């Protein structure tokens, strides 16, 4: 399970490019501290990540220090807010409770944001949408059990 979560997060990081952010997500601003995000998000809780939850990308480490239940168009799951070494919010990932809902999540995002840009490889589809200064990316790969939605700054 941890290995799959690390794979999901790694794909999300690759999709985002882990660029410093200027936009916002659900009332938070990219660059906020964990304490600031907790003050803004009613259902969020502080999370003390295990070392195994550290995500490394391009020489930087990111930790999911805040988590919360989250719903995208009726699809329930968990959002993880990831912070860099300076405790600065860099991006958010969402994982549905039921990975079998990834196709429905894809269709819901297409209905909300349009067809977007699609790329990928083999059975893995990667969708990219822009919403103002926020980039939304979904990796849908049912054959290997990955459904990862991420929000981050346009870079």
């Amino acid at each position: 399970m941890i290995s799959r979560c690390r794979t999901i997060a790694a794909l999300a990081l690759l999709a985002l490019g882990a660029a410093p952010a200027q936009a916002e997500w659900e009332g938070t601003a990219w660059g906020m501290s964990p304490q600031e995000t907790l003050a803004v998000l009613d259902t969020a809780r502080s999370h003390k990540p295990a070392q195994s939850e550290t995500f490394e990308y391009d020489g930087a480490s990111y930790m999911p220090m805040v988590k919360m239940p989250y719903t995208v168009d009726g699809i329930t799951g968990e959002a993880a807010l990831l912070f860099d070494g300076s405790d600065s919010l860099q991006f958010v990932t969402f994982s549905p409770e039921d990975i079998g809902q990834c196709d429905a999540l894809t269709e819901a995002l297409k209905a909300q944001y349009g067809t977007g840009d699609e790329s990928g490889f083999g059975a893995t589809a990667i969708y990219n949408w822009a919403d103002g200064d926020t980039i939304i990316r979904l990796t849908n790969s049912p054959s290997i059990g990955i459904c990862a939605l991420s929000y981050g700054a346009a870079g």
Side-chain angles (χ1 to χ4, degrees):
M1 177 68 174
I2 290 174
S3 176
R4 188 173 95 201
C5 290
R6 290 179 71 103
T7 300
I8 291 168
L11 285 171
L13 279 172
L14 288 172
L16 279 175
Q22 303 299 319
E24 57 185 359
W25 178 83
E26 296 298 323
T28 64
W30 304 119
M32 280 184 159
S33 70
Q35 295 76 20
E36 290 170 321
T37 63
L38 288 166
V40 172
L41 300 167
D42 291 337
T43 61
R45 66 189 184 288
S46 183
H47 176 71
K48 184 173 180 172
Q51 188 62 32
S52 63
E53 293 179 277
T54 301
F55 304 109
E56 305 269 338
Y57 177 74
D58 202 22
S61 297
Y62 301 91
M63 300 292 283
M65 298 173 68
V66 173
K67 291 188 173 185
M68 62 185 280
Y70 193 66
T71 302
V72 177
D73 202 44
I75 299 167
T76 59
E78 182 176 65
L81 287 70
L82 285 94
F83 298 82
D84 65 14
S86 299
D87 287 346
S88 174
L89 178 61
Q90 295 299 309
F91 60 95
V92 176
T93 61
F94 170 76
S95 299
E97 287 175 5
D98 177 3
I99 200 163
Q101 292 187 308
C102 203
D103 288 339
L105 179 60
T106 301
E107 294 309 311
L109 291 167
K110 284 181 177 180
Q112 183 172 0
Y113 300 109
T115 56
D117 296 324
E118 184 178 351
S119 62
F121 48 92
T124 300
I126 300 171
Y127 301 90
N128 302 285
W129 297 274
D131 183 23
D133 290 335
T134 298
I135 297 296
I136 302 158
R137 296 202 168 111
L138 175 68
T139 302
N140 183 349
S141 188
S143 63
I144 58 174
I146 293 176
C147 182
L149 175 59
S150 58
Y151 302 84

